[in-house]
Amino acid sequence: MKEVRVRFAPSPTGFLHVGGARTAIFNWLFAKNQKGKFLLRIEDTDPERSRGELSEQILRSMRWLGMDSDEPIVYQALNISRHREIAIELLNRGKAYYAFETTEELEAQRKEANAAKRPFKYNRASLKLDKETVDKYIAEGKPYAIRFKVTDGVTEFEDIVHGTTTFKNSEIDDFVLLRSDGTPVYQLAVVVDDNDMNITHVIRGDDHLSNTPKQILLYRAMDWEVPLFAHLPMILDEEKKKLSKRRNPVSVEEYKQNGYLSEALFNFLTLLGFAPPLLKGTESAPVDSSNEKQEIVSMEDLENMFTFDRVNKKSAVFDMKKLGWINSEYIKKTEPAVLLPQIKEVISRLEIQFAETSENENLIFNVISLMKERVQTVNEFVTYGKYFFEDPVTYDEKGMLKHWTTEIKEHFVSYTNELNSITPWSADILEQHLREYAEKCGLKAGQLVHPLRLALTGQSVSPGIFEVMMVLGKKTTIKRISGFTSQNPR
Ligand code: GLU
């Protein structure tokens, strides 16, 4: 059997969009499942809109998601002379023709069509020119485009996702292959490159469905083998509208910055159109009756189970809550050592003064084990747990009014003194000590716990206070309580 060869072909006119990443993932999973090749091609033929740094960004996001190209990356702009050669070949085969209309003339045709409320279609005036006139125009240096001559009939193909798909050729314009400045248009470049790269399956978004008949006509005109096509359903937001950056982040880079793990985003994006079968229970996806659909699936399992039979035709909804849940599940099972550098990066991005010491590294590990069941993103370790990394500067006002009394202030001084002699500094011992202290003084434990939380975190909510004390360590705990007591008169 022929080796499966697929490609992901982004245009470097923007960052890697989550929709693009989903297309890349389906290509990648199919290639891996079929033991084939996954290739990357940067479609940079549009010099005005393509930018080198955007290609770099896209490649960085692809690498972050764990998808490398199995062969050297193809830069489409380097193939322009080959695209021109094929346009000329199509002319020689009588499948294409010179078109001499100026932009203004075409604009006038378009306006006329609009006024008559009919879709614009090039009127083929240049096709009617005789050979002498064409030669004369060329000799005179009149600018021309090369257009494809669309034949009569219908173009039909078996889309792997949508099934039999038919287009009437009468609805297809004689599209441009080469512009008058000699640059190839997408339809030509994509077919030439896919052919030259021996692509067997073109897997891309639904928005390219209407390009497919044009491309099939080109393959046939060149007597090239037509690849198979799979068009993936659109991704909509929760309001069933096209994903828009006004509502949610749309670039992969932003999700990374916002503290999503690459494996979680990969898993989530796969579920936008692919329904994993129920697993028998593997290490990465243990059987859990509350998660019947088995939505947490590792890259490796996805590779093994991927098939287009389980790809939905209908559009998929990008559900941020579900992404949050999937991310939290991945955070729970990720090794703390893997989270450490990411947390450090967030600390430095937020400009928190936090020295690179082994003691501090230890503190981060303790924060991870205390908070990993509570956060949805890596950033939340730092934003929810900011007080672990720097002293609080303000204290929740409502909490202060309720819990900070003269009586408690006095107790804080003697309680803090007693803390000095506590060893070992563990949550259990701290809890036992506080309860005994409260009882001895005729207080309820809560009367001490609430203000302690304020003193140590600045907040009225936090994980268990004894765990917080343990993570902060004896020195910081005592320093914060003493600072708080002397700063806050009562
Ligand atoms: N460069 C095109 C895009 O970014 C690729 C289309 C295709 O896969 O054929 O949409």
Side-chain angles (χ1 to χ4, degrees):
M1 255 199 14
K2 210 163 138 192
E3 181 189 56
V4 164
R5 291 172 66 83
V6 299
R7 67 1 177 230
F8 175 55
S11 307
T13 52
F15 297 143
L16 180 63
H17 187 279
V18 283
R22 197 273 313 253
T23 300
I25 289 173
F26 280 41
N27 274 284
W28 195 85
L29 289 174
F30 181 64
K32 299 294 146 182
N33 181 273
Q34 298 289 309
K35 310 263 177 293
K37 293 273 183 330
F38 170 78
L39 311 178
L40 259 169
R41 181 172 71 229
I42 299 289
E43 302 214 317
D44 53 354
T45 45
D46 182 344
E48 267 159 40
R49 296 177 58 224
S50 303
R51 301 218 315 265
E53 66 270 23
L54 290 172
S55 300
E56 283 313 306
Q57 263 267 12
I58 291 174
L59 296 176
R60 249 204 324 273
S61 296
M62 288 290 293
R63 223 169 292 131
W64 180 70
L65 284 168
M67 292 183 286
D68 273 329
S69 182
D70 289 325
E71 287 178 9
I73 295 164
V74 173
Y75 288 85
Q76 189 163 60
L78 299 178
N79 297 342
I80 288 185
S81 57
R82 170 78 176 146
H83 306 143
R84 287 195 190 122
E85 182 191 317
I86 298 303
I88 306 295
E89 175 63 22
L90 287 163
L91 278 174
N92 293 340
R93 291 178 173 218
K95 306 283 186 186
Y97 58 94
Y98 293 105
F100 297 95
E101 286 75 13
T102 60
T103 319
E104 293 74 32
E105 283 164 338
L106 289 171
E107 202 37 51
Q109 282 185 32
R110 191 166 283 121
K111 277 203 182 125
E112 211 181 294
N114 280 350
K117 295 207 166 40
R118 59 178 158 77
F120 167 70
K121 225 179 120 188
Y122 168 60
N123 68 10
R124 292 189 143 180
S126 287
L127 182 59
K128 292 163 202 141
L129 297 174
D130 57 28
K131 182 155 185 327
E132 274 121 64
T133 316
V134 171
D135 289 346
K136 186 170 123 282
Y137 282 170
I138 292 177
E140 283 169 0
K142 200 169 158 67
Y144 61 80
I146 296 178
R147 283 185 182 262
F148 186 73
K149 198 196 291 175
V150 176
T151 44
D152 293 339
V154 292
T155 303
E156 195 169 271
F157 60 98
E158 277 309 307
D159 189 275
I160 301 173
V161 178
H162 296 269
T164 310
T165 308
T166 312
F167 286 87
K168 283 192 201 133
N169 291 6
S170 58
E171 282 163 11
I172 306 172
D173 210 13
D174 278 357
F175 53 97
V176 170
L177 298 172
L178 270 194
R179 299 184 189 89
S180 55
D181 63 2
T183 56
V185 298
Y186 157 72
Q187 310 289 3
L188 174 67
V190 80
V191 168
V192 173
D193 289 352
D194 282 343
N195 176 73
D196 291 358
M197 290 164 75
N198 294 316
I199 297 303
T200 56
H201 296 72
V202 171
I203 303 166
R204 59 188 174 189
D206 257 358
D207 48 334
H208 286 291
L209 199 58
S210 62
N211 289 324
T212 308
K214 295 180 184 172
Q215 294 170 13
I216 291 178
L217 290 172
L218 277 175
Y219 280 100
R220 293 195 184 138
M222 284 304 299
D223 292 319
W224 285 341
E225 193 176 334
V226 184
L228 294 172
F229 291 92
H231 287 92
L232 306 173
M234 290 268 289
I235 304 177
L236 302 176
D237 68 11
E238 281 134 73
E239 292 168 21
K240 303 269 158 49
K241 296 204 185 96
K242 204 173 155 230
L243 282 188
S244 141
K245 56 176 163 237
R246 264 174 293 119
R247 286 184 288 265
N248 285 328
V250 291
S251 78
V252 168
E253 187 76 13
E254 270 172 285
Y255 283 93
K256 176 177 178 224
Q257 293 253 326
N258 293 351
Y260 291 89
L261 298 176
S262 63
E263 296 88 343
L265 188 62
F266 188 102
N267 186 157
F268 170 74
L269 291 175
T270 309
L271 299 181
L272 297 178
F274 176 73
L278 242 167
L279 286 185
K280 284 271 159 8
T282 62
E283 205 186 319
S284 65
V287 172
D288 167 2
S289 54
S290 65
N291 180 21
E292 284 246 307
K293 282 199 275 169
Q294 290 292 344
E295 292 185 306
I296 304 293
V297 197
S298 70
M299 257 167 116
E300 202 189 333
D301 287 335
L302 286 169
E303 253 175 73
N304 292 332
M305 63 172 65
F306 188 82
T307 150
F308 275 106
D309 296 344
R310 304 192 70 88
V311 172
N312 208 325
K313 281 199 214 1
K314 293 207 206 85
S315 40
V317 175
F318 195 100
D319 177 351
M320 282 299 286
K321 274 206 218 82
K322 182 157 163 186
L323 173 58
W325 170 72
I326 292 182
N327 205 50
S328 70
E329 292 297 308
Y330 275 86
I331 285 179
K332 281 181 214 162
K333 47 186 208 149
T334 299
E335 281 297 318
V338 173
L339 298 173
L340 179 78
Q342 301 187 46
I343 295 179
K344 279 190 187 166
E345 202 197 300
V346 183
I347 293 176
S348 93
R349 216 178 327 128
L350 293 180
E351 292 177 6
I352 294 175
Q353 300 306 320
F354 191 69
E356 279 268 348
T357 60
S358 60
E359 203 180 313
N360 276 346
E361 202 152 273
N362 241 340
L363 178 108
I364 298 179
F365 279 123
N366 289 332
V367 171
I368 294 174
S369 58
L370 184 58
M371 307 272 286
K372 71 192 288 182
E373 302 287 328
R374 301 164 190 261
V375 295
Q376 287 211 330
T377 67
V378 175
N379 294 22
E380 286 174 2
F381 279 113
V382 186
T383 52
Y384 288 3
K386 206 165 172 194
Y387 50 83
F388 286 117
F389 310 105
E390 63 181 10
D391 294 343
V393 278
T394 55
Y395 302 99
D396 177 56
E397 242 173 76
K398 265 205 206 134
M400 289 296 280
L401 280 175
K402 197 157 161 209
H403 302 296
W404 187 235
T405 60
T406 319
E407 184 195 5
I408 295 301
K409 186 171 178 172
E410 273 152 29
H411 282 298
F412 256 41
V413 180
S414 55
Y415 171 73
T416 315
N417 280 340
E418 288 194 13
L419 285 182
N420 265 314
S421 49
I422 287 190
T423 44
W425 188 259
S426 75
D428 287 349
I429 297 198
L430 285 165
E431 175 163 8
Q432 194 193 343
H433 166 254
L434 182 133
R435 289 191 190 284
E436 280 167 14
Y437 179 92
E439 205 179 304
K440 182 174 77 189
C441 307
L443 296 168
K444 282 198 219 104
Q447 286 179 279
L448 287 169
V449 167
H450 295 298
L452 258 182
R453 176 169 286 124
L454 286 163
L456 295 174
T457 71
Q459 302 175 177
S460 289
V461 273
S462 77
I465 196 63
F466 305 110
E467 276 83 14
V468 171
M469 289 166 88
M470 196 189 70
V471 171
L472 288 174
K474 190 189 240 178
K475 218 170 81 203
T476 307
T477 301
I478 293 178
K479 186 188 85 194
R480 282 195 192 170
I481 305 175
S482 314
F484 172 87
T485 315
S486 53
Q487 253 180 61
N488 289 286
R490 196 64 221 184

mmCIF file of all heavy atoms in Angstrom, residues 197-214:
data_model
loop_
_atom_site.group_PDB
_atom_site.id
_atom_site.type_symbol
_atom_site.label_atom_id
_atom_site.label_comp_id
_atom_site.label_asym_id
_atom_site.label_seq_id
_atom_site.Cartn_x
_atom_site.Cartn_y
_atom_site.Cartn_z
ATOM 1 N N MET A 197 4.966 17.147 -3.563
ATOM 2 C CA MET A 197 5.294 16.557 -2.258
ATOM 3 C C MET A 197 4.638 15.177 -2.095
ATOM 4 O O MET A 197 4.695 14.598 -1.005
ATOM 5 C CB MET A 197 4.832 17.488 -1.116
ATOM 6 C CG MET A 197 5.651 18.768 -0.999
ATOM 7 S SD MET A 197 4.823 20.038 0.017
ATOM 8 C CE MET A 197 5.082 19.384 1.667
ATOM 9 N N ASN A 198 4.015 14.700 -3.159
ATOM 10 C CA ASN A 198 3.337 13.388 -3.129
ATOM 11 C C ASN A 198 2.324 13.255 -2.001
ATOM 12 O O ASN A 198 2.265 12.237 -1.303
ATOM 13 C CB ASN A 198 4.364 12.249 -2.987
ATOM 14 C CG ASN A 198 5.240 12.162 -4.210
ATOM 15 O OD1 ASN A 198 4.748 12.245 -5.334
ATOM 16 N ND2 ASN A 198 6.544 12.042 -3.989
ATOM 17 N N ILE A 199 1.547 14.311 -1.824
ATOM 18 C CA ILE A 199 0.527 14.289 -0.769
ATOM 19 C C ILE A 199 -0.598 13.337 -1.178
ATOM 20 O O ILE A 199 -1.103 13.420 -2.303
ATOM 21 C CB ILE A 199 -0.019 15.720 -0.540
ATOM 22 C CG1 ILE A 199 1.105 16.646 -0.042
ATOM 23 C CG2 ILE A 199 -1.212 15.728 0.415
ATOM 24 C CD1 ILE A 199 1.811 16.205 1.219
ATOM 25 N N THR A 200 -0.961 12.447 -0.270
ATOM 26 C CA THR A 200 -2.017 11.479 -0.598
ATOM 27 C C THR A 200 -3.384 11.916 -0.062
ATOM 28 O O THR A 200 -4.412 11.545 -0.620
ATOM 29 C CB THR A 200 -1.696 10.091 0.015
ATOM 30 O OG1 THR A 200 -1.523 10.256 1.431
ATOM 31 C CG2 THR A 200 -0.449 9.492 -0.610
ATOM 32 N N HIS A 201 -3.375 12.687 1.063
ATOM 33 C CA HIS A 201 -4.635 13.103 1.674
ATOM 34 C C HIS A 201 -4.543 14.581 2.031
ATOM 35 O O HIS A 201 -3.620 14.964 2.756
ATOM 36 C CB HIS A 201 -4.911 12.329 2.971
ATOM 37 C CG HIS A 201 -5.093 10.857 2.770
ATOM 38 N ND1 HIS A 201 -4.045 10.030 2.452
ATOM 39 C CD2 HIS A 201 -6.200 10.079 2.843
ATOM 40 C CE1 HIS A 201 -4.497 8.786 2.328
ATOM 41 N NE2 HIS A 201 -5.792 8.791 2.553
ATOM 42 N N VAL A 202 -5.492 15.360 1.523
ATOM 43 C CA VAL A 202 -5.524 16.781 1.877
ATOM 44 C C VAL A 202 -6.584 16.938 2.964
ATOM 45 O O VAL A 202 -7.769 16.749 2.727
ATOM 46 C CB VAL A 202 -5.863 17.644 0.643
ATOM 47 C CG1 VAL A 202 -6.108 19.094 1.050
ATOM 48 C CG2 VAL A 202 -4.742 17.551 -0.388
ATOM 49 N N ILE A 203 -6.094 17.240 4.185
ATOM 50 C CA ILE A 203 -7.008 17.353 5.338
ATOM 51 C C ILE A 203 -6.974 18.819 5.766
ATOM 52 O O ILE A 203 -5.915 19.345 6.117
ATOM 53 C CB ILE A 203 -6.531 16.438 6.493
ATOM 54 C CG1 ILE A 203 -6.430 14.986 5.994
ATOM 55 C CG2 ILE A 203 -7.465 16.559 7.691
ATOM 56 C CD1 ILE A 203 -5.665 14.051 6.925
ATOM 57 N N ARG A 204 -8.102 19.500 5.697
ATOM 58 C CA ARG A 204 -8.119 20.937 6.004
ATOM 59 C C ARG A 204 -9.522 21.348 6.405
ATOM 60 O O ARG A 204 -10.445 20.544 6.407
ATOM 61 C CB ARG A 204 -7.625 21.718 4.784
ATOM 62 C CG ARG A 204 -8.469 21.465 3.550
ATOM 63 C CD ARG A 204 -7.856 22.094 2.302
ATOM 64 N NE ARG A 204 -8.614 21.728 1.115
ATOM 65 C CZ ARG A 204 -8.219 21.975 -0.111
ATOM 66 N NH1 ARG A 204 -7.061 22.571 -0.341
ATOM 67 N NH2 ARG A 204 -8.968 21.635 -1.144
ATOM 68 N N GLY A 205 -9.681 22.647 6.707
ATOM 69 C CA GLY A 205 -10.969 23.128 7.213
ATOM 70 C C GLY A 205 -12.032 23.187 6.121
ATOM 71 O O GLY A 205 -11.721 23.300 4.929
ATOM 72 N N ASP A 206 -13.275 23.130 6.564
ATOM 73 C CA ASP A 206 -14.445 23.251 5.691
ATOM 74 C C ASP A 206 -14.425 24.481 4.794
ATOM 75 O O ASP A 206 -15.039 24.480 3.739
ATOM 76 C CB ASP A 206 -15.689 23.438 6.606
ATOM 77 C CG ASP A 206 -16.478 22.172 6.710
ATOM 78 O OD1 ASP A 206 -16.093 21.203 6.054
ATOM 79 O OD2 ASP A 206 -17.480 22.169 7.450
ATOM 80 N N ASP A 207 -13.757 25.539 5.264
ATOM 81 C CA ASP A 207 -13.729 26.770 4.462
ATOM 82 C C ASP A 207 -13.040 26.559 3.121
ATOM 83 O O ASP A 207 -13.157 27.396 2.231
ATOM 84 C CB ASP A 207 -13.064 27.915 5.261
ATOM 85 C CG ASP A 207 -11.749 27.508 5.906
ATOM 86 O OD1 ASP A 207 -11.563 26.303 6.188
ATOM 87 O OD2 ASP A 207 -10.895 28.389 6.120
ATOM 88 N N HIS A 208 -12.341 25.447 2.963
ATOM 89 C CA HIS A 208 -11.667 25.186 1.680
ATOM 90 C C HIS A 208 -12.468 24.260 0.772
ATOM 91 O O HIS A 208 -12.015 23.940 -0.321
ATOM 92 C CB HIS A 208 -10.276 24.588 1.925
ATOM 93 C CG HIS A 208 -9.296 25.600 2.422
ATOM 94 N ND1 HIS A 208 -8.828 26.629 1.647
ATOM 95 C CD2 HIS A 208 -8.717 25.763 3.631
ATOM 96 C CE1 HIS A 208 -7.997 27.373 2.343
ATOM 97 N NE2 HIS A 208 -7.915 26.874 3.560
ATOM 98 N N LEU A 209 -13.655 23.880 1.212
ATOM 99 C CA LEU A 209 -14.450 22.934 0.416
ATOM 100 C C LEU A 209 -14.686 23.476 -1.001
ATOM 101 O O LEU A 209 -14.526 22.750 -1.994
ATOM 102 C CB LEU A 209 -15.785 22.686 1.136
ATOM 103 C CG LEU A 209 -16.559 21.442 0.752
ATOM 104 C CD1 LEU A 209 -15.737 20.172 0.958
ATOM 105 C CD2 LEU A 209 -17.833 21.339 1.582
ATOM 106 N N SER A 210 -15.025 24.762 -1.101
ATOM 107 C CA SER A 210 -15.349 25.309 -2.434
ATOM 108 C C SER A 210 -14.102 25.484 -3.306
ATOM 109 O O SER A 210 -14.213 25.699 -4.505
ATOM 110 C CB SER A 210 -16.095 26.629 -2.292
ATOM 111 O OG SER A 210 -15.252 27.538 -1.638
ATOM 112 N N ASN A 211 -12.920 25.403 -2.730
ATOM 113 C CA ASN A 211 -11.694 25.458 -3.554
ATOM 114 C C ASN A 211 -11.413 24.103 -4.196
ATOM 115 O O ASN A 211 -10.691 24.017 -5.186
ATOM 116 C CB ASN A 211 -10.473 25.802 -2.686
ATOM 117 C CG ASN A 211 -10.516 27.241 -2.224
ATOM 118 O OD1 ASN A 211 -10.957 28.116 -2.954
ATOM 119 N ND2 ASN A 211 -10.053 27.492 -1.006
ATOM 120 N N THR A 212 -11.963 23.070 -3.610
ATOM 121 C CA THR A 212 -11.593 21.711 -4.025
ATOM 122 C C THR A 212 -11.922 21.397 -5.494
ATOM 123 O O THR A 212 -11.062 20.866 -6.196
ATOM 124 C CB THR A 212 -12.194 20.695 -3.031
ATOM 125 O OG1 THR A 212 -11.794 21.116 -1.730
ATOM 126 C CG2 THR A 212 -11.692 19.300 -3.281
ATOM 127 N N PRO A 213 -13.115 21.735 -6.002
ATOM 128 C CA PRO A 213 -13.359 21.417 -7.417
ATOM 129 C C PRO A 213 -12.350 22.095 -8.350
ATOM 130 O O PRO A 213 -11.889 21.476 -9.321
ATOM 131 C CB PRO A 213 -14.786 21.928 -7.673
ATOM 132 C CG PRO A 213 -15.105 22.822 -6.535
ATOM 133 C CD PRO A 213 -14.292 22.342 -5.370
ATOM 134 N N LYS A 214 -11.970 23.318 -8.038
ATOM 135 C CA LYS A 214 -10.981 24.022 -8.880
ATOM 136 C C LYS A 214 -9.668 23.249 -8.872
ATOM 137 O O LYS A 214 -9.015 23.070 -9.903
ATOM 138 C CB LYS A 214 -10.713 25.435 -8.351
ATOM 139 C CG LYS A 214 -11.914 26.343 -8.426
ATOM 140 C CD LYS A 214 -11.568 27.724 -7.891
ATOM 141 C CE LYS A 214 -12.823 28.583 -7.876
ATOM 142 N NZ LYS A 214 -12.624 29.856 -7.221
#
